[in-house]
Structure formats: structure tokens, C-alpha cells
Amino acid sequence: MNLPICRFEDRLLSTSLSALAIGLLCGGADSLRAQDPERNLSLIEPKAGDPAGGALRLARERADQAIAHVYVEIDGVDVFKIERPSSGVLIGDQGFVVTFLDLVAESIEASDKRILVHLKRAGLDPLPARIRSIDESRGLVLLEVEGLADEQKANGLTLAESSLGQDVLVYSFGEEQAPTGFVGVTMDALGASRFRSGGGSQSIDRGELVFTDAAIQERNHGGALLDVDGRLVGLCNATQVVNFEAIREPTLEQLKQPSFGFAVSAMGIARAFDDCDKPSPAVDGPSLGNAIEATVSVFTGRAPKPSLDDPYARSRRNGVGSGVVLTESGLVLTNAHLVRGESEITVRIGGRDYEARVVDSSRAGNLALLQVEVPASDKLPAVVVRADSPRVGERVYALGRPNADEQLAVSSGVVSALRADGRVIQTDARLGNENGGGPLVDAYGRLIGLCDAGRVDRIDAAYARRGDGAKVENSLNQTPSFALVESALGDALTDGGFLKSTARAESSDRALDAVIDQIAPSLLNIYIEAVVRGEVDEDNPFAQPETRTVVTSLGSGVVIDPSGLALTNWHVVDAATFPDGAPRSDHVVRARNFEGEIFEVTVLSISREEDLSLIQLELAPGRTLRAVEFGVSGDLEVGDRAVAAGNPEGQANSITVGVVTAKDQEIKVRGRWADLTHLLETDAAINGGNSGGALLDARGRLIGINSAGGAAFNVTGYAISVDHVRERLHNLLLGAYKMRTPWLGLQVQDRSEGGVFVQAVNPEGPAGRAGVERGWVLRSVGGEPVGWSVDFSLLRRSLEGGEPVELEFEVEGATVSKTLTSLPHDIWLVQRELGLEIAPLTIRDDADRIREAAVALYRNIVGDPEAEPRQIPGRVLEVKRVFAGDKVEAGDLLLGVRLTGRVRSGGAAQIVRFGAAREIHDFVNEHAAYEGSTFEVFLYREGEVLVVPIGMRRLLY
């Protein structure tokens, strides 16, 4: 589900209204603790504790002890298990586990195979199990677990019936040895379905099925469908879920192939096995009033019937859709594409068919208004139309009746934005052929908009744009609001006797307003702009071509400190930086906050392997920004609410809500520099542009940095967990190496009472040579106070490499001053790459020695003892200290390197000369390996040129 706070046409929609949806979805939250006005102390000591998981967290906690990984173990040369997603659920109090027959079929009458049940969340080792009962008609099997203690048997789940639109959690424990979970709502089973079992397939009646808009993936096969009380309302079957990720270049036909999961209902389980108790009554779903009865089927030609291969009715069927009754006299609103050009239109209401005709239509919004031929004695069930506009963040339901037998399709989400002056509603509720033309209603069943299936099927449209790159993700949808309906069809509505209701939204709890108010100023939209130069005026040689910037890519970010420090992904700023993070002159990075204010951005550091970047917003003197509070991702559990903030697909200032679906994930993303690790998986929508944005818990605390959206037909996205982000921030991104600042040779650590102490000293670095010791408290650098570790990192940016700087320490109550000469960044890089500290030696320093070295090198290369070079370099590099190897001595001149195996035209080996530290660094980046390489290097020592092997190691960025 998506919950955006959104800007449109440079106007900020009310953040306070968005708090309602988070409160409804997450079950309330405490206000954030106040942030230090000068620094974000949660970077050092994040607030641990309950992350406010929401209503379904209780369901997960109650079910944790009952969700099992069920698998078959095989004897052979070695004992091994059949690896596949395979879950089961402990039910009742007798130690029985229900799962699907296809997961254990190999063990039947096989002496070398055994069934094991692993209740890991209960802290148990895998236990053997035997088949107690099989029900082939539903594909179910009941296992009896051996060696289960009575107290563990008591953890079995109660069976319960389901109700329309109730909140549910898909929860499973498969081969990954970690749970996964998705949330959604239930709907009517639109028809019978089929499932695969025993190498074939068979059907199951819809009366024993539960359908849901919650994701049921392959890894959820055999998992639980839970209600808010943690009772089992169904067992998830994923045999009809297509693994689109395995299709490298899908065809349009493959993309349109139905892919669906469902749950065998608790009643179906009880009917299958005599050992199961009858299900208890269902938890009530939302009260949607007349909206349920007012949602109707609209079709042309023959009445539509459900398909075993498409039970959710998601495939496009011409002339088949839904509508909503606006008046008792028979005005019905639907999608125009369903009835355009048709003369015979049927509307089925309450099991009865009525003829209808089009009285007006509008291409804008894909709208059509029908007049149903209603007998004077009949009164149709009309929906209540809401008078005021919905609020951003408000929960909504998309309804539809895509089949003639009247079952109701339901999808739930939130209003993520209002576009076009409120005439378009942006929502994450699933909108497709199953509810196209049906009503979009609020939590009280009042009409706020019309579900739009699109004039062209969405898969067809996506494939036309992207070919085999087409994908369907948990994305934002746009649909006409009733304000657009009135604007487009107003005269026809009036002529038909429609009178708008005066119903308005009831007051709601806004306890989370403070959370939204605090997080919104911390959220950023990031824009990467290329500098484009105009044409040169050939008639005016003095004219300067005009330049402009063009946005080439976008992303998101989050402010982590009042000074304007922010985080984003490396791949967001990659086009604007060199491989070491240095800025490119032909690109500009800018950030926009939720108020629309634009900031110039400096990229401070990058980590390609972590897909992280630390950036600095350029602020006016004295200006500070509100920073996000850091949370603790280790405290999260699957099913806890997650809020993704960012700029998805250019929809600035969007906040989407979902749950943590899995933890500790690792994925490979095409185009990224390395595998991503330490990931939180979430079903909060993360699309292109969300990258680098914040993933927050329900209290508004940072729990991750969004990094990757779901793959094709996958509803999940991924965020780098905040615990890993925090560690990488302090130990990598804020370091001198990544920030490209002078090196002082010491590391500091924050003290709980404030300030920093010296945590480590490199004995060969400037601090070590100056006598600085571990444990000293650092008070200032160059006269500027150091209040915490971030201060120290930022102060290094102002240092001039190679120049002395005074550091002031507190040692046992006394003040101690030390003057250090920092190493310039390029010099320090060479030290790490070659194990040598070097310094430039110029003609002004020692002209004779430089000339002697240049002549000797030239004669060595050309093999002529009398040859003279045409030019003498203005500077060379002198070795000051040696930290690795025994071939180089202090005082040697480092002149260049010979690339063996690389021959110029004419037969001479390629020689790369060095006159600056940066030239060595560039050479290493181009030619050396990360694990190290050896090259032949030219040294000048005491009047002689030596060729010695030196190891060089490329550095990671």
C-alpha cells in the first residue's frame, strides 16, 4: 500500500492529513523525540524499541510459533534435503501440521525419504513427521509431528472463517530459513480455480477458496493466511504463480499469462480432515454501506463467466467490466472503453439483468454514463457520493464485479496524491480489469472516484513502450475523482436526476500528525542535470556559447543532520561523479525539499560496493534543516509497517506504506557495481526515482535507504538496512579516503557525555609522528571546535593538504596542542596503493637533480649513453617514507613505470611517466587489480636509474 505526501504544480498537499492513514494502518505511534538543534545524535545512539508494527503485528506474534518449514530429506551418499519453498502450519492442539501434498509426495512409500518439520521460530530443531491424512481433492495433507512437547502443541493456530475486505497477513517460513510476509485484504472468490499436484492439475470449488490482494509468491506455498487475531483463515497455494524472473526476454503472450495465488479456506481444511475443529466466526471487514450493492457488472454480448485459469478476472475481456449505480432511477457510471460503439449493453444488479444505453461519455477519465431501463416499481441500490475531496493518506477500497455471478473483487490501498486540482486521485490500490469501471470508495463506502482499467490493457501498453522490458510492479495508479466526473458529465448527471450527497468525512484520529510534520522536511527529491552548451557563433569569435542544464535522471534522498548532510544511493549520483566520487564539471546535482525549495548539492563521498552516497546541501550561513531520526532495523520483524519516501517515476514527494516482507536479503541488480547485501525487503512501492530515499518505521524513524525496486511482476522492493547504513556512514563515507580530504592519521569516536576521543592513531601518520595518543579528547581542529565525530569529518574538508594545522586536546584535565602536517589526499592514496609516502620535487627545489634524473631515464629507455632528452620535467616525485617492500628507499625519485606486454608501434615498450601523485593514482585505477599487481618501476638513486618490481593495489570506491 502506498501513502504519499505529494507536491503537484508546486503546491504542497497537507502533511497533517496523511497522518491519518498511517495511524489507521499502523495502529498509532509516539511522537519523535526532539532532535538536537545542532546535530542529529541518533546517528550515534539510535532509539531502540518497539517499531510500532501495526495491527497485524499481533497476528504475526501469535503465529510465529506455528509457522513451519516442511521438507523432504533423502538418504544417499550424503543426506540432503529437497530445496524448494515449502511451508506448513501447526493447527489445533494435537501436534498436527497442515500443508500441501505436492510438498511431501516424494516420501510416500519411500524408505529412503522422510518428512521433517522445522518450527524454527519456536526455537526447535527439525522434527520428523508422518502423514496422518491426505485429501487429494484439495491437495492437502495433515502431518503428525513426532516428539513435539505438549506446550509446543498448544501453539497450534485456530481455524477461522474470512469476511469481505478484512485485513490479512500472508506469512510463511520457507527454505531461506527466515520468514516472509505480505499484507492485504480478502475478497470474494470470483470463481473456481485450479492447482497443480502430482504432475497434473485439478480444480477446486470457489466455496472453499479465499482470494486476497496480498502477494502470494512461490516462496509462500504452504504458508498461512492470518486474520488480525492470528487465526488461520486459509493455507496459501502458489502452484499457479508464474516465475517471470526466470524468463529472460518475455513475449507479450508470456506477460499476459495469468499468475495467481489463492488460499484454501479454513472451512475447506476442516472439511478435509476430521481431526480439525470447525472454524470460528470471522473478524468483521470494513462497513462499506451501499457501495457493495451498488457495484454492478457491465457487459456487452453474453454474460461473462469466470475462468479456472484466471479466477481473479485480471485478463482483459472486451466488453466486460464493472460499474456503480449513482441514482435509484438507474444512472450507472462505468469506463467508456467497455461500452464505446456498443448498442446492446447489459447491467446486472442483484442477480437481475437490465438493458442500458449510453447517455454521455468523455475521453477524459475514460468515463461513460449509462441509463438503465428500470421498471417504475424498482429502486436500485445507489452509492452515496462523498461531497468533499478525499484526504492524502486516506484508506480506500477499489470494488468490482467482473463476472456475472455477482462475486465482489476488492483491493485496498490509500490515496497517495491528488493531481490536477483534485480531479485525479493517485492511489496504490490495485486497479485493473477485475475492477475497471467499479467504484473507488472511502472506508465508509462513499464514492470518491472511478476505477480505471485504461482504454488499452496495461500489459499491452507496457509492452508497446518497453518490449520485453515491460514489467508490472507495486506501482502508483491514477484514476478520475468524482470531481472530474462532474466536470465531464455534469449536464447528463443533472438531467438524470443526480443530486450530490452532503456526506462529509467524519473526524479522525490525527495522533501521527507530529510524526509526519517531523519527517516531511527531511525528505528530498534529487535531480541530476547535464550541462548542455549551445552552438558557437562563428561570426563572433568573442561570444561565449550559452549553457543550460537538462534533467537526465532523478532519485531521492534524506537529510541526516541539520548541517545539510544527506544520504542517497551511489547509482543516483553516478552520472555526476567520477569513479572516486569527485564531481564532474558537466553535471549538476540539485535537491528539492517538500516545500519546493531548491538546494545546490555537493557529493562528499560514494561507495559503489554499498550503493551509498553522502551529499551536502549548500545552506546559507546559520541555516539548518530538520534531520530524520535513525532507528534500529535489527528490532524490526516481518509484517512491521514500513514507509518509503521518495520521487517515484518523477512523482515528487511521495510516501508509500507497506510492510517489512523479509530481512537480511541479498540480491544482484543489473547495472550495479556489486551485489547488494544487508537488505530489508518491503512491499511499500519502490519504483524508479525512489532510489536513495528513506524507508521509515511507523514512528517516522529511518530504518533503511531505498535502493532497488521489484523485478518483473514482483511486488517487493529493497532498502539497505539502517544498522548497516550507520556503520558504513561512520567507518567509510565520513572517512578521509571516501571524502577525498587530507589525512591526519587518527580516528575519533563519540563519547556518551559529548565530544570525541582519539580511538586509533596510525604510528606512521601525521598524528602518530606528532605524538598524539589514543584516548586523548579532541577539542578543536585549526581553532574550530569539535563537538562530535561528524564535525571532525567536515572540518577536514577545510584543511589544505601538506600545510600545518593545530589540534587541541584535553589530556587528564590539561590542554595539549599538537601541530600536524596533513597528507594531501592524492599523496595518501599513493601511500595506500604502493606503500610509499611521496612528495613533489620541483625545479625550484633541486633543478640539478631533476635534470640528472631525466637524462638518466631517457638514456636508459633509448639505450644510448650519449642521448639527451628534448624536455626536462618541471617536477618529479620523491619517496619520503617506505611502508611496504624492500626495493625502494627514502630519497629515491619515482620516475615512471614500464608496461611489459604493451608495445608501441616501432617496437618500444610503453613507458608511463609520473610527475604528480594523481598520475600514479590514475595509472593504478586503470591497470592494477584490487587484489594487487606488480609493475616494473623506474627509480633514480645516487646518479643511477634502477628498474625494480613494485606491488600496486587498486582501491575500492
Side-chain angles (χ1 to χ4, degrees), residues 730-743:
H730 286 291
N731 296 328
L732 191 69
L733 294 177
L734 283 167
Y737 164 50
K738 289 293 188 179
M739 292 183 71
R740 308 177 306 283
T741 61
W743 183 59

Side-chain angles (χ1 to χ4, degrees), residues 684-699:
I686 298 178
N687 294 322
N690 269 119
S691 292
L695 188 71
L696 306 150
D697 68 12
R699 301 184 189 277

Side-chain angles (χ1 to χ4, degrees), residues 849-931:
R849 191 176 177 210
I850 289 178
R851 186 184 186 287
E852 292 169 1
V855 171
L857 176 63
Y858 185 73
R859 291 175 177 176
N860 182 284
I861 293 172
V862 301
D864 182 355
E866 303 297 328
E868 291 287 334
R870 293 181 180 180
Q871 291 183 329
I872 302 298
R875 62 179 178 178
V876 296
L877 297 172
E878 183 179 18
V879 177
K880 291 295 186 182
R881 294 178 179 82
V882 179
F883 303 109
D886 57 1
K887 303 295 185 183
V888 184
E889 299 177 2
D892 288 350
L893 299 186
L894 189 61
L895 303 178
V897 63
R898 176 163 56 199
L899 283 176
T900 56
R902 296 174 181 265
V903 180
R904 294 178 177 178
S905 58
Q910 182 177 347
I911 307 298
V912 179
R913 303 193 188 209
F914 298 142
R918 186 71 197 186
E919 293 172 353
I920 297 179
H921 177 58
D922 291 341
F923 173 85
V924 170
N925 270 343
E926 183 176 356
H927 299 289
Y930 291 104
E931 61 272 16

Side-chain angles (χ1 to χ4, degrees), residues 68 149 178 182 204 244 442 504 506 533 535 574 577 602 685 699 754 795 797 837 899 916 945 955:
F182 299 90
I204 183 170
F244 287 100
D442 66 12
R504 292 184 174 272
E506 284 81 357
R533 299 188 182 278
E535 296 183 1
D574 178 39
T577 61
T602 299
R699 301 184 189 277
L795 282 171
R797 294 182 65 205
E837 183 181 325
L899 283 176
V945 170
L955 302 178

Side-chain angles (χ1 to χ4, degrees), residues 710-875:
F713 289 81
N714 194 345
V715 300
T716 54
Y718 299 90
I720 306 166
S721 67
V722 74
D723 293 347
H724 186 66
V725 170
R726 184 187 303 108
E727 188 274 330
R728 295 285 79 189
L729 176 65
H730 286 291
N731 296 328
L732 191 69
L733 294 177
L734 283 167
Y737 164 50
K738 289 293 188 179
M739 292 183 71
R740 308 177 306 283
T741 61
W743 183 59
L744 294 172
L746 60 84
Q747 293 178 314
V748 300
Q749 184 173 319
D750 292 282
R751 303 192 307 165
S752 57
E753 64 269 34
V756 300
F757 69 92
V758 178
Q759 190 268 335
V761 179
N762 187 318
E764 301 296 340
R769 295 197 293 269
V772 177
E773 297 183 13
R774 185 177 184 273
W776 289 9
V777 177
L778 178 61
R779 292 302 188 193
S780 67
V781 174
E784 295 293 331
V786 177
W788 66 322
S789 57
V790 176
D791 286 344
F792 176 66
S793 297
L794 296 179
L795 282 171
R796 284 199 312 266
R797 294 182 65 205
S798 62
L799 300 182
E800 188 69 34
E803 297 297 324
V805 59
E806 185 178 32
L807 274 63
E808 188 175 279
F809 301 89
E810 179 184 321
V811 182
E812 297 180 352
T815 298
V816 175
S817 295
K818 295 288 185 179
T819 299
L820 285 62
T821 300
S822 63
L823 282 186
H825 179 66
D826 288 345
I827 298 293
W828 186 47
L829 290 181
V830 172
Q831 180 173 318
R832 297 189 65 193
E833 292 163 337
L834 276 65
L836 306 173
E837 183 181 325
I838 59 174
L841 182 71
T842 67
I843 287 286
R844 182 178 299 177
D845 298 324
D846 195 337
D848 292 340
R849 191 176 177 210
I850 289 178
R851 186 184 186 287
E852 292 169 1
V855 171
L857 176 63
Y858 185 73
R859 291 175 177 176
N860 182 284
I861 293 172
V862 301
D864 182 355
E866 303 297 328
E868 291 287 334
R870 293 181 180 180
Q871 291 183 329
I872 302 298
R875 62 179 178 178

Side-chain angles (χ1 to χ4, degrees), residues 26 128 137 158 171 228 324 410 427 539 557 588 607 735 755 798:
C26 306
S137 66
T158 301
Y171 196 51
V228 292
V324 58
V410 181
T427 177
D539 295 329
V588 174
S607 175
S798 62

